[in-house]
Amino acid sequence: MKHLLDIKDLSVAELDELIAVANDIIADPRKYSEACHGKKLATLFFEPSTRTRLSFEAAMYELGGNVLSVAGANTSSAAKGESIADTARVVSCYADIMAMRHPKEGAPLVAAMNSSIPVINAGDGGHNHPTQTLADLLTISREKGRFDHLTVGLCGDLKFGRTVHSLIHALSRYEGVKFVLISPEELKVPSYVKAEALKTRNVPYEQTTDLSEALPSLDILYMTRVQRERFFNEEDYLRLKDSYILTPEKLKAAKADLCVMHPLPRVNEISVAVDSDPRACYFKQVLYGKYMRMALILKLLEVKV
Ligand code: CP
């Protein structure tokens, strides 16, 4: 049985296959509308979510399946002290596949070790968010037509931003990719991510605090929110939260075919005035997330269409 706990669980060939299926769903959604008839997805979200939970649920409904949902840490028996392992055993009795979001890094791994159905990591603490990366990859594929030879700027909270960690792992496997890591000193990409994804593969990267200086060289700018919920004190969050704000003025220095991405939710990092710029791709990214989650559910349930 296969789980998706980390983007590294998928080979480049498997990523290509998921992207091909997602594109086929976009082209002909009716072909897939009964593919998961009789199957149930459990969404277990012990942390807030709008996009990930609802897109998983929309994905399963659009595949003709059904959904069981726990939304919020206080609405399940986890609030009474039930362990992740027991929760996974119990949910395995009711559903065919589960997607779990949890504030503790590694919680979906514990669930997978105790589950008899596939487990999908829908975001674990400041660690990983592999299905956001699937959404990001489909966006890049459709907007840029390639993954290789791209200069990718990642900007904001690169320390706690789990989407960035998964995306670095995914894109570092493609030839000619360069990273520009733009963050305050306190919010740099963790050393373990740089060691595993960048240094072992000799992937070029630079670290800077200056977004305006980096902007002209970028093919992709991936903005992120400062992750208030992971800070140990509010003072540090307040000091760092508005470190980077992308505005139409700043974008004047960027390439005409720049792709501006953001996993969302945004707080202040991208001015709403940027939304009407044709380079703004973050709402397309939301929609593509649903199609990639449909493709992933089909793959993990071994459903052939
Ligand atoms: N991108 C993302 O994970 O959004 P949600 O927290 O709303 O699921």
Side-chain angles (χ1 to χ4, degrees):
M1 187 180 45
K2 187 130 176 144
H3 308 285
L4 179 63
L5 303 173
D6 191 307
I7 199 68
K8 290 176 285 185
D9 296 343
L10 296 168
S11 65
V12 169
E14 286 175 308
L15 292 175
D16 288 345
E17 177 203 327
L18 287 171
I19 289 168
V21 172
N23 280 322
D24 197 50
I25 296 169
I26 293 169
D28 188 0
R30 280 173 51 188
K31 193 167 111 190
Y32 294 86
S33 63
E34 291 299 322
C36 287
H37 180 77
K39 303 279 189 196
K40 281 172 277 175
L41 164 74
T43 53
L44 308 175
F45 278 62
F46 300 103
E47 253 194 356
S49 169
T50 298
R51 275 146 295 276
T52 312
R53 185 169 69 84
L54 295 185
S55 67
F56 263 118
E57 297 183 359
M60 195 51 161
Y61 284 126
E62 289 185 29
L63 292 168
N66 284 299
V67 172
L68 310 170
S69 191
V70 169
N74 294 322
T75 61
S76 76
S77 286
K80 297 181 232 166
E82 187 162 49
S83 67
I84 293 162
D86 283 2
T87 302
R89 281 194 197 106
V90 169
V91 173
S92 299
C93 299
Y94 304 140
D96 300 285
I97 185 167
M98 72 174 93
M100 175 181 280
R101 170 169 291 187
H102 203 285
K104 286 195 181 141
E105 287 84 358
L109 170 64
V110 174
M113 288 163 66
N114 292 279
S115 168
S116 56
I117 62 174
V119 175
I120 301 169
N121 178 1
D124 61 329
H127 187 217
N128 278 324
H129 194 346
T131 66
Q132 179 62 48
T133 300
L134 296 182
D136 301 342
L137 292 178
L138 182 59
T139 307
I140 295 169
S141 163
R142 288 180 72 97
E143 293 298 313
K144 306 301 291 182
R146 67 184 201 280
F147 295 120
D148 57 350
H149 298 96
L150 293 170
T151 300
V152 180
L154 304 168
C155 179
D157 183 349
L158 308 187
K159 178 181 180 186
F160 297 118
R162 57 194 173 197
T163 64
V164 162
H165 305 161
S166 295
L167 187 59
I168 289 174
H169 273 290
L171 288 178
S172 63
R173 293 190 270 185
Y174 295 92
E175 204 178 315
V177 168
K178 285 190 265 179
F179 290 98
V180 184
L181 307 175
I182 309 154
S183 73
E185 284 297 326
E186 295 98 318
L187 299 178
K188 284 161 116 172
V189 173
S191 303
Y192 77 91
V193 176
K194 284 185 280 200
E196 279 176 27
L198 302 177
K199 291 182 182 162
T200 52
R201 295 194 181 99
N202 286 321
V203 177
Y205 71 94
E206 58 185 88
Q207 300 188 102
T208 176
T209 56
D210 191 336
L211 171 60
S212 295
E213 192 182 86
L215 203 44
S217 68
L218 304 179
D219 299 304
I220 291 169
L221 173 60
Y222 194 96
M223 297 295 293
T224 62
R225 168 180 74 90
V226 175
Q227 307 270 303
R228 180 180 207 157
E229 62 275 33
R230 314 262 179 248
F231 275 69
F232 294 111
N233 73 68
E234 184 74 359
E235 233 171 69
D236 285 346
Y237 168 73
L238 293 173
R239 182 169 51 81
L240 294 168
K241 71 184 175 74
D242 291 328
S243 298
Y244 303 102
I245 302 178
L246 187 66
T247 59
E249 192 57 34
K250 284 205 181 93
L251 268 179
K252 283 181 186 161
K255 289 184 181 174
D257 64 348
L258 173 72
C259 177
V260 180
M261 300 173 68
H262 192 309
L264 305 180
R266 83 172 138 190
V267 185
N268 279 331
E269 315 76 56
I270 303 180
S271 147
V272 290
V274 172
D275 296 358
S276 55
D277 190 301
R279 293 170 288 185
C281 296
Y282 28 94
F283 289 110
K284 290 185 207 168
Q285 216 176 326
V286 172
L287 183 60
Y288 294 150
K290 182 186 70 176
Y291 294 119
M292 282 303 263
R293 290 179 177 110
M294 289 172 81
L296 179 66
I297 290 168
L298 291 171
K299 179 178 175 61
L300 295 182
L301 289 178
E302 299 180 349
V303 174
K304 296 270 178 257
V305 177

